[in-house]
Amino acid sequence: MRLLIPMIALWLCVPGVTRAQTVCPTPWPLEEVLRIGSAETTDLVAGVRDLAIGPDSALYVAQAQVPAVNVFSLDGQLLRQIGRAGRGPGDIEWSAFGLGWIGDTLWVADLNRIQLFTTDERVPDAVIQFYLSIPEEGTQLTPGRMLADGTFVGARQLSDMRAWSSRGDDPGLALRRISRSGEILDTIAIIDWPDNAVANERNPAGWPRVHPLREAALPGLQEYLTALKPDGSAVVQIGQVHEDATPPTFDLLVVSIRGDTLLHRAIDYEPREVTRAMERRLADEYAGWAVGDYTSRRMQLLETTLERQRSAYRRVFWVPENHPPVRKVVAGTDGTIWLLRELREDRVDVWEIYDSEGMLEGSIEIGQGRASTKPWYPRLAILVASRDEVWGATRGELDQPYLHRYRVDRTCAL
């Protein structure tokens, strides 16, 4: 059965110099054509971390706390599982954190390695594992995602809080291309990294907490405002934000994995102030998350104690004057670029869709659903996107995971 989702609509809207084409005056809705998962089935037993569509048109799904990759048909039938719990070749330790296809090779990333499967889904052709210390950052890199030329980008993990916090004002972070043996080959791009830390009230010397407005929301590359193209050939990122320019702009970049700039376009935007109401709401949500109000792991303490802790987190919370203009980047399978814009007071997510030249084509508004227990996260975790269809993940009221497929209805109803 096909379900029309009235709260999710696609508009082609044209503010600014990049929005000068003729557009359909009526919304273009998304039509839900498939939903996998329910409270009664075990097809999906945990949140979706990543999704790839294979050369066989099957869905390859990585889930949190599931030591396997589930493979579904396009109509939602569970076909098989790849992997099992363990640390040996072909095993998956803890869960798969990422996966994808580069040509005829399936790569699967688990805790600290990537396995490559080509001829046999049970026996990997190669297991890639390295630990690279980046002392000037206070980080460590392990295999993160596979690139089109068979090299890798690293998964960044904090290892030295003192070095991380002493890097200076907005020094940026290098996105490095790494060989199979763990050698740093070159730098693909520099990721603009604004101050996104909130002081740890309970342990001032401990790890800082990430600010809700500047969090690298899963799924994806797990780098701030940077996405890897599905074929591993380039990264798409938001570069510098020029808030004081006339007009204000942000840089939209596409950079090849060899470091060549393929696209650099300045996108006009209108700064949106963080209102007092939004500041109070975010402070309450941040404090509630810190003490476990939104999860089953809530601290077993008296309510008076929990409220004292919430108050402590509210005291250290801060907001920038204006919202960051972009919250997340997704690289489409057809060359499109998807940007999640500012957090709105009504919590309706606005995704803008740009073509490969950085010209705005349209936008999607999503006003229902939740992708995470964190209330500031996107409504829908977009996993795979194109002009024709969108695959995304949500959670139900009982925290059960769902995987959705939407068709973009591009009929213009005049």
Side-chain angles (χ1 to χ4, degrees):
M1 180 176 66
R2 298 191 173 207
L3 304 172
L4 190 63
I5 308 297
M7 294 295 291
I8 306 179
L10 178 65
W11 283 266
L12 292 185
C13 31
V14 201
V17 294
T18 62
R19 300 162 168 82
Q21 63 261 48
T22 303
V23 299
C24 179
T26 59
W28 291 9
L30 295 183
E31 182 184 5
E32 186 180 35
V33 295
L34 177 67
R35 180 180 299 187
I36 302 174
S38 74
E40 291 76 35
T41 68
T42 58
D43 290 343
L44 292 177
V45 296
V48 177
R49 288 187 178 274
D50 210 353
L51 168 71
I53 300 176
D56 56 355
S57 297
L59 307 175
Y60 292 74
V61 183
Q63 299 176 74
Q65 302 178 24
V66 176
V69 172
N70 281 344
V71 184
F72 293 89
S73 64
L74 283 179
D75 61 1
Q77 299 300 310
L78 181 62
L79 302 176
R80 62 189 185 278
Q81 286 190 325
I82 300 173
R84 58 194 178 276
R87 297 183 178 182
D91 299 340
I92 293 178
E93 187 173 0
W94 187 243
S95 66
F97 291 89
L99 54 82
W101 284 89
I102 302 296
D104 61 354
T105 298
L106 170 67
W107 64 265
V108 179
D110 59 9
L111 191 58
N112 290 305
R113 62 183 180 172
I114 285 180
Q115 301 186 75
L116 309 181
F117 299 86
T118 302
T119 57
D120 190 334
E121 291 182 343
R122 295 171 297 176
V123 180
D125 294 83
V127 178
I128 312 301
Q129 190 164 19
F130 52 75
Y131 298 87
L132 290 177
S133 177
I134 313 295
E136 65 272 21
E137 291 180 0
T139 64
Q140 176 179 270
L141 299 179
T142 59
R145 300 183 86 82
M146 187 177 178
L147 301 176
D149 62 356
T151 59
F152 301 86
V153 291
R156 199 186 308 270
Q157 303 170 2
L158 285 181
S159 57
D160 185 341
M161 182 60 221
R162 181 172 298 179
W164 175 263
S165 60
S166 63
R167 292 178 304 127
D169 294 333
D170 195 15
L173 292 174
L175 183 66
R176 298 172 175 88
R177 190 168 65 92
I178 305 169
S179 71
R180 294 191 178 197
S181 61
E183 176 190 2
I184 295 176
L185 301 175
D186 49 38
T187 295
I188 299 172
I190 299 298
I191 299 170
D192 193 50
W193 190 265
D195 179 16
N196 72 336
V198 180
N200 190 327
E201 174 73 17
R202 299 180 65 199
N203 180 13
W207 303 111
R209 294 181 180 271
V210 180
H211 195 286
L213 291 179
R214 294 176 172 174
E215 187 166 3
L218 298 175
L221 189 58
Q222 301 180 37
E223 296 283 7
Y224 186 64
L225 298 184
T226 305
L228 180 65
K229 283 194 171 186
D231 64 0
S233 64
V235 295
V236 182
Q237 67 174 160
I238 302 300
Q240 293 283 339
V241 176
H242 309 281
E243 191 171 289
D244 296 329
T246 305
T249 63
F250 60 84
D251 293 336
L252 178 59
L253 301 169
V254 179
V255 182
S256 78
I257 58 175
R258 298 286 181 171
D260 302 315
T261 300
L262 306 177
L263 172 70
H264 183 178
R265 180 176 288 276
I267 307 296
D268 293 354
Y269 81 102
E270 183 176 344
R272 180 172 295 168
E273 180 185 5
V274 179
T275 64
R276 290 289 297 168
M278 177 62 78
E279 180 180 3
R280 288 192 297 269
R281 182 174 181 176
L282 284 172
D284 287 341
E285 291 174 351
Y286 169 82
W289 173 260
V291 302
D293 287 347
Y294 305 113
T295 73
S296 58
R297 298 183 299 275
R298 180 175 175 176
M299 301 177 186
Q300 299 301 310
L301 300 172
L302 293 175
E303 180 56 35
T304 53
T305 302
L306 289 172
E307 185 51 37
R308 282 198 301 271
Q309 293 187 2
R310 294 188 195 99
S311 297
Y313 285 113
R314 292 188 192 100
R315 284 196 300 271
V316 298
F317 189 75
W318 58 273
V319 293
E321 179 182 355
N322 295 312
H323 285 269
V326 178
R327 296 162 55 203
K328 186 171 176 59
V329 179
V330 172
T333 57
D334 56 355
T336 52
I337 301 169
W338 296 60
L339 305 182
L340 177 60
R341 297 301 304 270
E342 300 92 339
L343 185 66
R344 298 194 342 184
E345 303 286 343
D346 59 5
R347 297 298 174 93
V348 173
D349 288 342
V350 178
W351 287 87
E352 290 185 339
I353 304 153
Y354 294 79
D355 66 15
S356 59
E357 301 300 319
M359 302 296 290
L360 183 70
E361 291 191 354
S363 64
I364 290 175
E365 294 196 353
I366 303 177
Q368 61 182 5
R370 63 180 187 127
S372 168
T373 53
K374 291 184 178 181
W376 55 83
Y377 259 43
R379 297 278 191 174
L380 177 72
I382 293 182
L383 300 156
V384 176
S386 71
R387 294 179 181 87
D388 298 319
E389 68 176 15
V390 173
W391 289 87
T394 64
R395 292 176 178 270
E397 291 301 318
L398 301 177
D399 210 30
Q400 68 272 25
Y402 291 98
L403 184 60
H404 310 261
R405 181 186 186 185
Y406 300 102
R407 183 179 65 86
V408 180
D409 181 2
R410 295 195 288 169
T411 303
C412 187
L414 298 176

